[in-house]
Amino acid sequence: MRFLVAFVAVLGYASAGVISPLVLGVNPGDAQAAAIDATVAAQDTVRAIGEGQARAAEAAVLHNTEAVRQVAETTRDINENAYWNSVAAGQNVVAAVQSQAAALDGVANARVAQLTIPGVPLAAPYIAAAPVGLAAPYGLGLGAHAVGLRAW
């Protein structure tokens, strides 16, 4: 029974604490202080939300700036590699053409050497048969590159 009396007493005290402001009324100073506290808490919350949004926006801008920089750097590298690859390919083509021309020139010179008799010019049969004045400009000649191709 003592327990029951103690329980009722605690219950009465707790309910009196909750009901007393409604029955007795609130002190105007306490109400004004509570309103100021609520206003300050709301302002702090709004400020914290605004600061969080500003930090998020700044982080997004930094992230986007870094992404744009990386894309620009990658594009520059790709273009630079493509340029130097095309330069190398062009040089390889020129070298291949020069090698082919040198090979053809060597074959032509070898063929001329097979067809000529030492001491007799290759153009001698054509010069003898051609009218005067026509053999010199159109003769085959005797130089190192008399017949064949010239390399660049």
Side-chain angles (χ1 to χ4, degrees):
M1 179 93 172
R2 282 187 238 172
F3 175 74
L4 187 57
V5 172
F7 179 72
V8 171
V10 169
L11 186 61
Y13 178 74
S15 64
V18 173
I19 298 174
S20 67
L22 299 175
V23 174
L24 300 175
V26 177
N27 183 357
D30 291 341
Q32 185 178 9
I36 292 172
D37 288 343
T39 303
V40 169
Q43 288 173 347
D44 287 344
T45 302
V46 169
R47 186 177 303 115
I49 290 171
E51 288 174 357
Q53 288 176 344
R55 282 191 302 273
E58 183 179 356
V61 168
L62 290 176
H63 176 74
N64 289 342
T65 302
E66 180 63 19
V68 167
R69 187 194 62 76
Q70 287 178 357
V71 167
E73 185 175 322
T74 302
T75 302
R76 181 185 52 82
D77 289 343
I78 289 171
N79 288 333
E80 185 176 345
N81 288 339
Y83 170 77
W84 288 114
N85 288 340
S86 69
V87 168
Q91 290 173 346
N92 290 341
V93 168
V94 168
V97 169
Q98 287 175 341
S99 297
Q100 190 67 26
L104 291 174
D105 194 29
V107 168
N109 285 335
R111 187 71 177 145
V112 167
Q114 289 175 350
L115 296 176
T116 59
I117 301 170
V120 177
L122 181 65
Y126 300 106
I127 293 173
V132 177
L134 196 61
Y138 296 107
L140 294 176
L142 294 174
H145 296 288
V147 174
L149 300 173
R150 294 189 71 116
W152 287 286

